[in-house]
Amino acid sequence: MTSTPALSGPGKLFRIVAIAEACSWTGLLIGMFFKYVVVRNEIGVQIFGPIHGALFVLYVIAAIVVARLHRWDVKTLVLALIASIPPLATIWFERKAAREGRLSSPVAIA
């Protein structure tokens, strides 16, 4: 069993944003289920829609900032951005990036 490298400060922030974005996706999906299937009430979508939108934008910004600080290659950044689209994929990407050491000790930028 291999250990995951310790996360840097930006890496920890990226983890928090990735998990929050995935949770907001879940809330939005539940809200949509209730809106279209169960009670035909929009309250869940009205609540989670803006929350998810804000966290989605925050995730994209965090991915770009962390990619720059940690000097990710373009392939990794594109994968991080694509992971923002399917539900819960940001958690998958964050775990993958952490396991590969892409969220630990950023390289200093001159």
Side-chain angles (χ1 to χ4, degrees):
M1 180 190 217
T2 61
S3 64
T4 303
L7 299 181
S8 67
K12 288 177 186 177
L13 182 61
F14 182 79
R15 171 174 280 173
I16 291 167
V17 172
I19 292 170
E21 193 276 343
C23 290
S24 72
W25 237 131
T26 302
L28 182 57
L29 290 172
I30 292 168
M32 289 169 53
F33 176 76
F34 277 90
K35 176 181 177 179
Y36 294 111
V37 177
V38 179
V39 293
R40 310 240 185 253
N41 185 322
E42 293 188 19
I43 190 72
V45 174
Q46 290 173 341
I47 292 171
F48 284 103
I51 292 170
H52 175 67
L55 287 170
F56 171 84
V57 170
L58 188 59
Y59 174 84
V60 169
I61 292 169
I64 292 168
V65 169
V66 171
R68 179 162 164 78
L69 290 174
H70 290 264
R71 299 212 175 164
W72 290 353
D73 56 15
V74 173
K75 180 182 172 185
T76 302
L77 175 58
V78 168
L79 187 58
L81 296 175
I82 290 171
S84 69
I85 298 168
L88 310 179
T90 55
I91 291 177
W92 167 81
F93 176 80
E94 181 278 323
R95 299 288 158 92
K96 175 180 171 37
R99 194 172 48 250
E100 294 173 354
R102 296 185 188 275
L103 299 176
S104 58
S105 300
V107 178
I109 297 176

